[in-house]
């Protein structure tokens, strides 16, 4: 046999052996990174939410949220159902952990009040996940952040805030406490 043909034959034989395909390994890596970074969010949650309703007023409400793996574990899908300002309110969020180095964790979000799609990205800073989205609203630059504290056995907190001055000052728009729902 010519030199180099034997190693090529060995590589081809190894590639044909039963085992996990490269595609399956990629999906596993995707699901593993999501489970590692965000797996603690999984579950059924009871949510106490406070939405800003003016400069000094807050609308308090209760809701439920289900956060489950989707797309073979490469995403977590959050389905939130409750009320806001006395009206039915729902949102869908897709959480991922395979983004770019400057925004490894991503959250794709839309809610039932306006249906605008948003994509925030970021990572953990200490015990807080900080996701940020920059956009222009009515001709003005706007930064929106989602801050999620690390989970405890009981749950986690989420604070949404926005800035219209490049982050020099912030206005909180949501304060929510997620508690694990009691098994039924």
């Amino acid at each position: 046999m010519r030199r180099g043909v034997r190693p090529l034959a060995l590589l081809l034989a190894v590639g044909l052996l039963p085992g996990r395909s490269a595609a399956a390994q990629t999906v596993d890596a995707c699901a593993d990174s999501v489970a590692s970074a965000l797996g603690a969010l999984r579950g059924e949650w009871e949510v106490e939410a406070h939405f800003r309703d003016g400069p000094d007023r807050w609308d308090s409400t209760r809701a439920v949220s289900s956060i489950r793996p989707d797309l073979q574990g490469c995403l977590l899908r959050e389905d939130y159902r409750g009320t806001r300002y006395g009206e039915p309110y729902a949102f869908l969020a897709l959480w991922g952990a395979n983004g770019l180095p400057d925004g490894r964790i991503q959250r794709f979000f839309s809610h039932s009040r306006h249906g605008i799609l948003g994509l925030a990205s970021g990572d953990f800073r200490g015990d807080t996940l900080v996701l940020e989205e920059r956009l222009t609203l009515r001709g003005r630059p706007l930064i929106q952040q989602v801050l999620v504290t690390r989970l405890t056995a009981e749950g986690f907190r989420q604070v949404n805030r926005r800035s219209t001055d490049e982050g020099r000052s912030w206005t909180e728009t949501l304060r929510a406490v997620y508690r694990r729902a009691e098994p039924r």
Side-chain angles (χ1 to χ4, degrees), residues 18-60:
R20 309 228 1 118
S21 70
Q25 292 172 7
T26 301
V27 168
D28 287 348
C30 173
D32 288 347
S33 64
V34 169
S36 174
L38 301 170
L41 294 174
R42 289 175 56 172
E44 303 300 317
W45 303 96
E46 294 175 357
V47 184
E48 181 181 334
H50 304 275
F51 294 96
R52 180 168 296 284
D53 188 21
D56 298 316
R57 293 188 329 259
W58 291 84
D59 174 52
S60 299

Side-chain angles (χ1 to χ4, degrees), residues 41-46 65-68 179-182:
L41 294 174
R42 289 175 56 172
E44 303 300 317
W45 303 96
E46 294 175 357
S65 179
S66 177
I67 303 177
R68 294 279 173 224
R179 291 184 180 87
R180 289 213 183 269
E182 295 295 322

